[in-house]
Amino acid sequence: MKAHDGMYIDGAWRPADGRDAIEVVNPADEQVIGHVPAGNALDVDSAVRAARAALPGWAATPPAERAARLAALRDVLVARKDEIAETVTAELGSPLKFSQAVHAAAPIAVAGSYAELAATYAFEEKVGNSVVHQEPVGVVGAITPWNYPLHQIVAKVAPALAAGCTLVLKPAEDTPLTAQLFAEAVHEAGVPAGVFNLVTGLGPVAGQALAEHPGVDLVSFTGSTAVGRRIGATAGAAVKRVALELGGKSANVILPSADLAKAVNVGVANVMSNSGQTCSAWTRMLVHRDQYDEAVSLAAEAAAKYGDRIGPVVNAKQQARVRGYIEKGVAEGARLVAGGPEAPREQGYFVSPTVFADVREDMTIAQEEIFGPVLSLLRYEDEDDALRIANGTVYGLAGAVWAGEEAEAVAFARRMDTGQVDINGGRFNPLAPFGGYKQSGVGRELGAHGLAEYLQTKSLQF
């Protein structure tokens, strides 16, 4: 798609306040594919004012009509799914088939789920002599990442619209074209002017201005834990609500009774998906000591098949960061069994699919989020040891458990300190809540729990 040279504010594309622009680069070939304006505090202020002006009317709109606008938005996304996939591939570098199957399809499913939920959600209930009424929290500042550019937008915008909130979106500067395409879809779906607004720009400028703006009632952020802490501190100073979906270092626990080959192959695929740029990726594979050597061989063999199947990471900085972690893993004594720090291609921000064996739980690569196609295999002695290792990081976003009997896996999963656990390869569910324990965040996205983040509660006593 052709990049817009303005901001989408109050139902129209408007010139940006400043003249600075952001280059959009295709990470597969390092070519500039477009420019978008770098918004500043004045752009953010204009967008927030438009959202505040539109709030009373949208909040008063019957839920059935809000549901109809969301259904229309879903239909527009369906009609433009090929363009969505092509845009994500161009600015993120994701292989086209993956963009079609995940980057375009998942947001459509999520938008559809909120179209249905908005029409059926119980915004009021009778409790004794009271009526408990749920109403929109107000104006939302949504700050989204680049790794799943449309999914993360829809996961915030759809429930906020369903709740009756208005929004200002500040997307990641690496993938702004997808956000502009989404703004076009919102407009085409007939969402009233000012209900949704888009400001492109840099995080320390536009993002910070949005988080600090006194006209914003809730900040919903997905990204790194470090930035999440700063947003949380800013919001806390203003007693402003936040929803934070942050980093992860998820454990894939393979119990001795599991189908080892299947668990390892699915685990490797999970880590390599989206070039490893998934906050919930199972980047730590925990295997019993008696099966460890076999698992290492299986993982190395599986990873070798992904050399030409995964795309680049998003930019040169991210490439250097991931390669730096691989070098650190080697320096700290882990054993490379696949991949390594050398760039596999001369052009593009590619990183080799990498697998480490003999990883100790205190190593950097076992504790810190790498956000690249890097898997660490750790051995455990028994189930209690596996649980200790699985819970032994500051994160708690996701995870997986494999066992011969489902009940055995479920029993282990219930003891894990993490927000979501896949049992024997469980499938993605757009209705299930997603979010983390510990430093992986605050709040939940998706389904009814995601809608609740954008509501506040009022009790009427009789």
Side-chain angles (χ1 to χ4, degrees), residues 39-114:
N40 58 26
L42 291 176
D43 295 307
V44 169
D45 184 64
S46 296
V48 173
R49 288 178 183 274
R52 291 225 71 87
L55 179 61
W58 185 247
T61 300
E65 174 58 23
R66 299 200 297 259
R69 291 307 97 212
L70 283 165
L73 176 59
R74 174 205 57 208
D75 292 344
V76 174
L77 296 178
V78 170
R80 302 184 68 173
K81 66 181 185 300
D82 291 339
E83 185 182 2
I84 291 168
E86 291 165 1
T87 302
V88 173
T89 291
E91 62 181 357
L92 181 63
S94 171
L96 184 58
K97 286 185 178 180
F98 188 81
S99 293
Q100 293 167 334
V102 177
H103 288 296
I108 290 170
V110 172
S113 74
Y114 280 110

Side-chain angles (χ1 to χ4, degrees), residues 23-46:
E23 284 188 345
V24 184
V25 177
N26 184 329
D29 60 16
E30 304 179 46
Q31 299 300 304
V32 176
I33 58 175
H35 296 80
V36 299
N40 58 26
L42 291 176
D43 295 307
V44 169
D45 184 64
S46 296

